[in-house]
Amino acid sequence: MKHPVFFKQALLTICLTIFLLPALEAQTKKIKRPKSRVGVASVDRFVQESFDLYDKVYKYDGYAAAGTPLDDDDIDVLEEALEEMSSLSESAPDIINDLDGVGVLKQGKATLQVNRAKKALNYSIKTAKELLLGQREHESEDDGDTTTSDDDDDGDYEESENGANSDNSNDEAEEEPTNVSDGLEVYSKYDFVPGDNILFFDDFSQDFVGDIPSKWNTNGSGAVVRLNKVEGNWFELKAGYRLYVIPDIKELPEDYTIEFDLLTSGLDRQTSSGARLFIILSDNNAFNDGKQHYTSTSLPLGQYGVFNMYVKNYFNGKGGMINSGLTADIRDEVKNQPHIAISVTKQRYRLWINEVKYVDIPRFIEELDVLDYLKFHVYGLKDGEERVFIKNLKVAEGGVDLRRKLLSEGKISTNGILFDSGSANIQPQSLGIVRQVSQVLMQDDSIKLNIIGHTDSDGSDEANLKLSKDRAAAVKEALVNIYNISPDRLTTNGKGETQPVGDNSTADGKAKNRRVEFVKI
C-alpha cells in the first residue's frame, strides 16, 4: 500500500528536477560579496553599494531565469537601480584616487575589492538593461567570481560601531550656510527670467511646525520645521521608495518657471551614491511618476564622488528620446542652500543651480499640454541622519522676454527680483531680470527709467515705505555697478504697501505684492 505513495513522491522529485534545474543553471554564478572592510571609507562605501545593487538585480535575474515575468513594481525598482548603478560606476576613478598615501597592503586589498565591485556593477548594469528591454538571454557558462582570496577576515559587511561621521552627521543643519548674497558679479550673466504671473507660492509661513503644509499632498510623511541659523519655516521631504510630495498646482501652462530654495543636513562621504532629489513634471497628481507622460530630473546628493544629474522623459506610454546622465559636480552646492530654477518654454527645458545652467534641452517636452502637475521625490537617505528641506516654492506663468515688453509697452512690473527678508539686499538669482533691463538701456542710449519698489503689508507703513525706496535704490545700484549703466539715466521711488495687486492675507498674494516696476520716463 505504501508503494504508490513512494512512486508519486519520486515522480514529483524527478519532475521538479527536470523543470527547475535548467533555470538554476541558466543564471550565472553569484559573485561573492567581500566579508571584511578595507578601512578606507570611500572604498568600503563603493563596495557595499555595488553589492547591494548587485544583489537586487541578481534576484530579478533569477526570476527571469525561472520564467517569472516582471510586474510594474519590479520594473520601477530596476529602473531606479539602473540609474544608481550608472552613477556609482562613474565614481570608480575617484575612489581609486582616494588610495593615494594608503599602505601597500591596504592598497592591494582595496584594489581587489574595487575590481570585484566593478565586475558586479558591470554585470548588474548589463543585466538590468536586458531585463527592462526584454532581451535577457541566459547562458550556462560561469560569468561569476566565487573566490574570496582577498578577504580572510571574519564577519559580514557591516557599518563600524563608531560610524565614520558620528561627530557631525546631525549638526549640518545648524551650520550657517554660505551667504549667497555676496559676490553678485558672479551672477552678472545669469539668464534665468522668472514668470510674471504667480500660479503658486509657498514659504510655509502660514503652516504650523510639525504639520504637513496645507497646500500639499503626500503618500508618506514630511513636516514643516524650523532650524537654527536659517530663517523661517522649511518643509522637510522624507525619503522613501515611491514616496512623493505634490503641491496643489493644476494645469501648468506651456510657458512657466519653477523656483525653490534647497537645504540639506547630514550629507557626508558616507551618503549613498543613490541619494537623489527628483523633480517630476507629470500628467497626473497620483503618487507615481506619471501615467502616460512625465519628465524626471534627479539631483545627486552623494558626497564621496562626482555623480551625474539624470534627465529622462516618458511620453505616450513609453520612454522618450531623452535618458541622459549629465556631468554635474554639485556636492558643495547642495550643502550650501542653493537656489534651484527651472524654465519650461513649450518644448524647451532648462535648469539652473545658483548661477550655473546645468540643463538646456530644446525638445525635452515631447507633447505639449499634457504635463499639468509638479512632484518631488527623495530617495536613498538615511532616515533621521540625512535630511532635505525646501522653501519658497514659486511657480509662475511666463518667463517671457521682458526686453521686448519694456520697449513696446514702456513699462514692466516683476516680482522676480527677490530681496532678503526685511532688507534691500538683492538675492543673486534675481539678476536675470536686472540683466535684461540693462540690455534695453545699452541698446538705446536715449532711454531713461524710473524704478519703483513695492512691498507686502508685513510691518508698519513707515517701515515698508522706506524699505520699498531702499529696494528700488538697490536695483539702481546693481545696474550702475554691475552693468555700467549711467546713474543719470535712472531715478527711484517707493510706494510701500499702498498699491497692492494681491491679497496680503495669503502667501501667494504677498509674493505678488513684493514687486519692482520699471517705467520709461
Side-chain angles (χ1 to χ4, degrees), residues 69-102:
L70 301 179
D71 60 24
D72 289 344
D73 285 346
D74 298 332
I75 291 172
D76 288 343
V77 171
L78 278 174
E79 285 180 340
E80 286 196 357
L82 184 58
E83 285 192 3
E84 292 181 48
M85 290 183 295
S86 299
S87 180
L88 190 61
S89 179
E90 291 156 4
S91 71
D94 292 328
I95 304 303
I96 297 299
N97 291 337
D98 288 344
L99 297 179
D100 293 342
V102 175

mmCIF file of all heavy atoms in Angstrom, residues 69-102:
data_model
loop_
_atom_site.group_PDB
_atom_site.id
_atom_site.type_symbol
_atom_site.label_atom_id
_atom_site.label_comp_id
_atom_site.label_asym_id
_atom_site.label_seq_id
_atom_site.Cartn_x
_atom_site.Cartn_y
_atom_site.Cartn_z
ATOM 1 N N PRO A 69 7.553 36.431 -14.947
ATOM 2 C CA PRO A 69 7.560 37.755 -15.591
ATOM 3 C C PRO A 69 7.677 38.871 -14.543
ATOM 4 O O PRO A 69 7.246 38.722 -13.398
ATOM 5 C CB PRO A 69 6.216 37.808 -16.315
ATOM 6 C CG PRO A 69 5.333 36.863 -15.555
ATOM 7 C CD PRO A 69 6.229 35.767 -15.056
ATOM 8 N N LEU A 70 8.250 39.988 -14.949
ATOM 9 C CA LEU A 70 8.376 41.145 -14.067
ATOM 10 C C LEU A 70 7.093 41.969 -14.118
ATOM 11 O O LEU A 70 6.545 42.200 -15.194
ATOM 12 C CB LEU A 70 9.551 42.020 -14.496
ATOM 13 C CG LEU A 70 10.934 41.360 -14.528
ATOM 14 C CD1 LEU A 70 11.982 42.366 -15.003
ATOM 15 C CD2 LEU A 70 11.305 40.830 -13.159
ATOM 16 N N ASP A 71 6.616 42.410 -12.942
ATOM 17 C CA ASP A 71 5.443 43.282 -12.931
ATOM 18 C C ASP A 71 5.883 44.744 -12.915
ATOM 19 O O ASP A 71 7.078 45.056 -12.968
ATOM 20 C CB ASP A 71 4.536 42.961 -11.736
ATOM 21 C CG ASP A 71 5.234 43.139 -10.389
ATOM 22 O OD1 ASP A 71 6.218 43.911 -10.314
ATOM 23 O OD2 ASP A 71 4.784 42.515 -9.402
ATOM 24 N N ASP A 72 4.924 45.661 -12.849
ATOM 25 C CA ASP A 72 5.238 47.090 -12.933
ATOM 26 C C ASP A 72 6.137 47.540 -11.793
ATOM 27 O O ASP A 72 7.051 48.354 -11.985
ATOM 28 C CB ASP A 72 3.949 47.916 -12.924
ATOM 29 C CG ASP A 72 3.167 47.765 -14.224
ATOM 30 O OD1 ASP A 72 3.765 47.289 -15.209
ATOM 31 O OD2 ASP A 72 1.973 48.120 -14.236
ATOM 32 N N ASP A 73 5.895 47.028 -10.575
ATOM 33 C CA ASP A 73 6.731 47.416 -9.438
ATOM 34 C C ASP A 73 8.170 46.945 -9.640
ATOM 35 O O ASP A 73 9.123 47.660 -9.308
ATOM 36 C CB ASP A 73 6.177 46.825 -8.135
ATOM 37 C CG ASP A 73 4.928 47.563 -7.663
ATOM 38 O OD1 ASP A 73 4.669 48.658 -8.189
ATOM 39 O OD2 ASP A 73 4.224 47.031 -6.784
ATOM 40 N N ASP A 74 8.334 45.730 -10.168
ATOM 41 C CA ASP A 74 9.677 45.216 -10.441
ATOM 42 C C ASP A 74 10.407 46.108 -11.450
ATOM 43 O O ASP A 74 11.603 46.403 -11.281
ATOM 44 C CB ASP A 74 9.606 43.787 -11.000
ATOM 45 C CG ASP A 74 8.982 42.808 -10.028
ATOM 46 O OD1 ASP A 74 9.087 43.047 -8.811
ATOM 47 O OD2 ASP A 74 8.395 41.809 -10.483
ATOM 48 N N ILE A 75 9.706 46.548 -12.463
ATOM 49 C CA ILE A 75 10.311 47.403 -13.488
ATOM 50 C C ILE A 75 10.728 48.737 -12.880
ATOM 51 O O ILE A 75 11.809 49.260 -13.166
ATOM 52 C CB ILE A 75 9.327 47.610 -14.656
ATOM 53 C CG1 ILE A 75 9.147 46.280 -15.417
ATOM 54 C CG2 ILE A 75 9.810 48.696 -15.603
ATOM 55 C CD1 ILE A 75 8.065 46.309 -16.464
ATOM 56 N N ASP A 76 9.881 49.294 -12.001
ATOM 57 C CA ASP A 76 10.234 50.551 -11.331
ATOM 58 C C ASP A 76 11.509 50.399 -10.512
ATOM 59 O O ASP A 76 12.392 51.261 -10.524
ATOM 60 C CB ASP A 76 9.094 51.009 -10.422
ATOM 61 C CG ASP A 76 7.898 51.524 -11.209
ATOM 62 O OD1 ASP A 76 8.074 51.823 -12.406
ATOM 63 O OD2 ASP A 76 6.799 51.621 -10.627
ATOM 64 N N VAL A 77 11.595 49.296 -9.781
ATOM 65 C CA VAL A 77 12.780 49.040 -8.951
ATOM 66 C C VAL A 77 14.026 48.933 -9.825
ATOM 67 O O VAL A 77 15.083 49.507 -9.507
ATOM 68 C CB VAL A 77 12.595 47.758 -8.115
ATOM 69 C CG1 VAL A 77 13.901 47.371 -7.428
ATOM 70 C CG2 VAL A 77 11.510 47.964 -7.064
ATOM 71 N N LEU A 78 13.927 48.211 -10.930
ATOM 72 C CA LEU A 78 15.081 48.036 -11.818
ATOM 73 C C LEU A 78 15.492 49.362 -12.464
ATOM 74 O O LEU A 78 16.686 49.627 -12.628
ATOM 75 C CB LEU A 78 14.756 47.002 -12.901
ATOM 76 C CG LEU A 78 14.918 45.534 -12.492
ATOM 77 C CD1 LEU A 78 14.414 44.619 -13.601
ATOM 78 C CD2 LEU A 78 16.367 45.215 -12.165
ATOM 79 N N GLU A 79 14.523 50.182 -12.833
ATOM 80 C CA GLU A 79 14.857 51.475 -13.440
ATOM 81 C C GLU A 79 15.614 52.358 -12.457
ATOM 82 O O GLU A 79 16.610 53.000 -12.808
ATOM 83 C CB GLU A 79 13.585 52.173 -13.918
ATOM 84 C CG GLU A 79 12.999 51.581 -15.188
ATOM 85 C CD GLU A 79 11.734 52.289 -15.637
ATOM 86 O OE1 GLU A 79 11.111 52.967 -14.792
ATOM 87 O OE2 GLU A 79 11.358 52.149 -16.817
ATOM 88 N N GLU A 80 15.158 52.407 -11.202
ATOM 89 C CA GLU A 80 15.855 53.202 -10.195
ATOM 90 C C GLU A 80 17.244 52.624 -9.919
ATOM 91 O O GLU A 80 18.224 53.362 -9.763
ATOM 92 C CB GLU A 80 15.044 53.260 -8.899
ATOM 93 C CG GLU A 80 13.826 54.159 -8.993
ATOM 94 C CD GLU A 80 13.260 54.516 -7.628
ATOM 95 O OE1 GLU A 80 13.792 54.019 -6.614
ATOM 96 O OE2 GLU A 80 12.277 55.288 -7.566
ATOM 97 N N ALA A 81 17.322 51.296 -9.868
ATOM 98 C CA ALA A 81 18.611 50.652 -9.617
ATOM 99 C C ALA A 81 19.591 50.937 -10.749
ATOM 100 O O ALA A 81 20.782 51.167 -10.513
ATOM 101 C CB ALA A 81 18.424 49.140 -9.447
ATOM 102 N N LEU A 82 19.097 50.956 -11.985
ATOM 103 C CA LEU A 82 19.963 51.219 -13.133
ATOM 104 C C LEU A 82 20.546 52.624 -13.062
ATOM 105 O O LEU A 82 21.733 52.829 -13.351
ATOM 106 C CB LEU A 82 19.179 51.029 -14.431
ATOM 107 C CG LEU A 82 19.974 51.183 -15.734
ATOM 108 C CD1 LEU A 82 21.142 50.209 -15.778
ATOM 109 C CD2 LEU A 82 19.067 50.979 -16.943
ATOM 110 N N GLU A 83 19.741 53.597 -12.675
ATOM 111 C CA GLU A 83 20.258 54.956 -12.519
ATOM 112 C C GLU A 83 21.341 55.002 -11.449
ATOM 113 O O GLU A 83 22.385 55.632 -11.616
ATOM 114 C CB GLU A 83 19.112 55.912 -12.149
ATOM 115 C CG GLU A 83 18.209 56.261 -13.307
ATOM 116 C CD GLU A 83 17.285 57.424 -12.974
ATOM 117 O OE1 GLU A 83 17.411 57.974 -11.862
ATOM 118 O OE2 GLU A 83 16.451 57.770 -13.819
ATOM 119 N N GLU A 84 21.080 54.347 -10.323
ATOM 120 C CA GLU A 84 22.059 54.333 -9.232
ATOM 121 C C GLU A 84 23.356 53.659 -9.670
ATOM 122 O O GLU A 84 24.454 54.137 -9.363
ATOM 123 C CB GLU A 84 21.485 53.603 -8.019
ATOM 124 C CG GLU A 84 20.342 54.324 -7.338
ATOM 125 C CD GLU A 84 19.845 53.556 -6.128
ATOM 126 O OE1 GLU A 84 20.681 53.138 -5.305
ATOM 127 O OE2 GLU A 84 18.629 53.343 -6.012
ATOM 128 N N MET A 85 23.232 52.552 -10.384
ATOM 129 C CA MET A 85 24.426 51.804 -10.788
ATOM 130 C C MET A 85 25.271 52.592 -11.783
ATOM 131 O O MET A 85 26.496 52.597 -11.701
ATOM 132 C CB MET A 85 24.015 50.457 -11.380
ATOM 133 C CG MET A 85 23.454 49.489 -10.346
ATOM 134 S SD MET A 85 23.034 47.868 -11.017
ATOM 135 C CE MET A 85 21.708 48.254 -12.148
ATOM 136 N N SER A 86 24.605 53.258 -12.719
ATOM 137 C CA SER A 86 25.340 54.060 -13.696
ATOM 138 C C SER A 86 26.104 55.172 -13.001
ATOM 139 O O SER A 86 27.268 55.443 -13.304
ATOM 140 C CB SER A 86 24.363 54.644 -14.725
ATOM 141 O OG SER A 86 23.699 53.608 -15.420
ATOM 142 N N SER A 87 25.448 55.813 -12.047
ATOM 143 C CA SER A 87 26.093 56.890 -11.294
ATOM 144 C C SER A 87 27.247 56.349 -10.465
ATOM 145 O O SER A 87 28.330 56.946 -10.409
ATOM 146 C CB SER A 87 25.060 57.573 -10.397
ATOM 147 O OG SER A 87 25.648 58.604 -9.654
ATOM 148 N N LEU A 88 27.030 55.228 -9.823
ATOM 149 C CA LEU A 88 28.065 54.626 -8.980
ATOM 150 C C LEU A 88 29.270 54.202 -9.809
ATOM 151 O O LEU A 88 30.429 54.402 -9.404
ATOM 152 C CB LEU A 88 27.475 53.424 -8.240
ATOM 153 C CG LEU A 88 28.321 52.796 -7.141
ATOM 154 C CD1 LEU A 88 28.615 53.801 -6.039
ATOM 155 C CD2 LEU A 88 27.592 51.581 -6.555
ATOM 156 N N SER A 89 29.033 53.634 -10.979
ATOM 157 C CA SER A 89 30.123 53.188 -11.835
ATOM 158 C C SER A 89 31.029 54.343 -12.245
ATOM 159 O O SER A 89 32.252 54.196 -12.332
ATOM 160 C CB SER A 89 29.548 52.498 -13.080
ATOM 161 O OG SER A 89 30.574 52.067 -13.942
ATOM 162 N N GLU A 90 30.420 55.510 -12.472
ATOM 163 C CA GLU A 90 31.202 56.677 -12.883
ATOM 164 C C GLU A 90 32.106 57.200 -11.769
ATOM 165 O O GLU A 90 33.057 57.938 -12.031
ATOM 166 C CB GLU A 90 30.264 57.788 -13.346
ATOM 167 C CG GLU A 90 29.559 57.450 -14.656
ATOM 168 C CD GLU A 90 28.253 58.208 -14.812
ATOM 169 O OE1 GLU A 90 27.957 59.034 -13.937
ATOM 170 O OE2 GLU A 90 27.544 57.952 -15.794
ATOM 171 N N SER A 91 31.807 56.830 -10.522
ATOM 172 C CA SER A 91 32.605 57.338 -9.399
ATOM 173 C C SER A 91 33.849 56.499 -9.132
ATOM 174 O O SER A 91 34.686 56.875 -8.319
ATOM 175 C CB SER A 91 31.749 57.367 -8.123
ATOM 176 O OG SER A 91 31.487 56.061 -7.640
ATOM 177 N N ALA A 92 33.984 55.367 -9.826
ATOM 178 C CA ALA A 92 35.101 54.456 -9.551
ATOM 179 C C ALA A 92 36.471 55.116 -9.665
ATOM 180 O O ALA A 92 37.339 54.895 -8.816
ATOM 181 C CB ALA A 92 35.005 53.232 -10.469
ATOM 182 N N PRO A 93 36.745 55.941 -10.699
ATOM 183 C CA PRO A 93 38.071 56.583 -10.756
ATOM 184 C C PRO A 93 38.367 57.452 -9.534
ATOM 185 O O PRO A 93 39.498 57.502 -9.057
ATOM 186 C CB PRO A 93 37.987 57.433 -12.032
ATOM 187 C CG PRO A 93 36.960 56.762 -12.875
ATOM 188 C CD PRO A 93 35.949 56.240 -11.899
ATOM 189 N N ASP A 94 37.359 58.151 -9.017
ATOM 190 C CA ASP A 94 37.573 58.965 -7.818
ATOM 191 C C ASP A 94 37.904 58.095 -6.615
ATOM 192 O O ASP A 94 38.680 58.481 -5.744
ATOM 193 C CB ASP A 94 36.323 59.798 -7.514
ATOM 194 C CG ASP A 94 36.078 60.863 -8.571
ATOM 195 O OD1 ASP A 94 37.071 61.364 -9.126
ATOM 196 O OD2 ASP A 94 34.914 61.186 -8.832
ATOM 197 N N ILE A 95 37.310 56.913 -6.566
ATOM 198 C CA ILE A 95 37.564 56.003 -5.452
ATOM 199 C C ILE A 95 39.023 55.559 -5.459
ATOM 200 O O ILE A 95 39.690 55.524 -4.425
ATOM 201 C CB ILE A 95 36.636 54.768 -5.536
ATOM 202 C CG1 ILE A 95 35.177 55.206 -5.575
ATOM 203 C CG2 ILE A 95 36.882 53.828 -4.378
ATOM 204 C CD1 ILE A 95 34.746 56.049 -4.416
ATOM 205 N N ILE A 96 39.540 55.222 -6.625
ATOM 206 C CA ILE A 96 40.935 54.790 -6.734
ATOM 207 C C ILE A 96 41.872 55.907 -6.287
ATOM 208 O O ILE A 96 42.894 55.669 -5.635
ATOM 209 C CB ILE A 96 41.249 54.350 -8.186
ATOM 210 C CG1 ILE A 96 40.385 53.132 -8.575
ATOM 211 C CG2 ILE A 96 42.721 54.034 -8.333
ATOM 212 C CD1 ILE A 96 40.619 51.907 -7.704
ATOM 213 N N ASN A 97 41.539 57.148 -6.624
ATOM 214 C CA ASN A 97 42.386 58.275 -6.218
ATOM 215 C C ASN A 97 42.476 58.417 -4.707
ATOM 216 O O ASN A 97 43.448 58.964 -4.180
ATOM 217 C CB ASN A 97 41.853 59.582 -6.826
ATOM 218 C CG ASN A 97 42.027 59.632 -8.337
ATOM 219 O OD1 ASN A 97 42.884 58.940 -8.888
ATOM 220 N ND2 ASN A 97 41.206 60.429 -9.004
ATOM 221 N N ASP A 98 41.471 57.934 -3.995
ATOM 222 C CA ASP A 98 41.479 58.029 -2.531
ATOM 223 C C ASP A 98 42.506 57.096 -1.895
ATOM 224 O O ASP A 98 42.739 57.169 -0.683
ATOM 225 C CB ASP A 98 40.093 57.696 -1.973
ATOM 226 C CG ASP A 98 39.090 58.808 -2.250
ATOM 227 O OD1 ASP A 98 39.531 59.916 -2.588
ATOM 228 O OD2 ASP A 98 37.871 58.565 -2.120
ATOM 229 N N LEU A 99 43.115 56.232 -2.695
ATOM 230 C CA LEU A 99 44.096 55.276 -2.142
ATOM 231 C C LEU A 99 45.495 55.874 -2.067
ATOM 232 O O LEU A 99 46.401 55.222 -1.542
ATOM 233 C CB LEU A 99 44.126 54.005 -2.992
ATOM 234 C CG LEU A 99 42.812 53.196 -3.035
ATOM 235 C CD1 LEU A 99 42.975 51.986 -3.936
ATOM 236 C CD2 LEU A 99 42.413 52.759 -1.633
ATOM 237 N N ASP A 100 45.663 57.082 -2.594
ATOM 238 C CA ASP A 100 46.984 57.717 -2.510
ATOM 239 C C ASP A 100 47.380 57.902 -1.050
ATOM 240 O O ASP A 100 46.610 58.418 -0.240
ATOM 241 C CB ASP A 100 46.966 59.084 -3.206
ATOM 242 C CG ASP A 100 46.784 58.955 -4.710
ATOM 243 O OD1 ASP A 100 47.013 57.846 -5.225
ATOM 244 O OD2 ASP A 100 46.413 59.960 -5.348
ATOM 245 N N GLY A 101 48.583 57.464 -0.717
ATOM 246 C CA GLY A 101 49.071 57.614 0.656
ATOM 247 C C GLY A 101 48.676 56.487 1.577
ATOM 248 O O GLY A 101 49.079 56.464 2.750
ATOM 249 N N VAL A 102 47.894 55.540 1.079
ATOM 250 C CA VAL A 102 47.494 54.384 1.897
ATOM 251 C C VAL A 102 48.569 53.306 1.805
ATOM 252 O O VAL A 102 49.259 53.188 0.790
ATOM 253 C CB VAL A 102 46.130 53.842 1.401
ATOM 254 C CG1 VAL A 102 45.744 52.576 2.142
ATOM 255 C CG2 VAL A 102 45.049 54.902 1.577
#
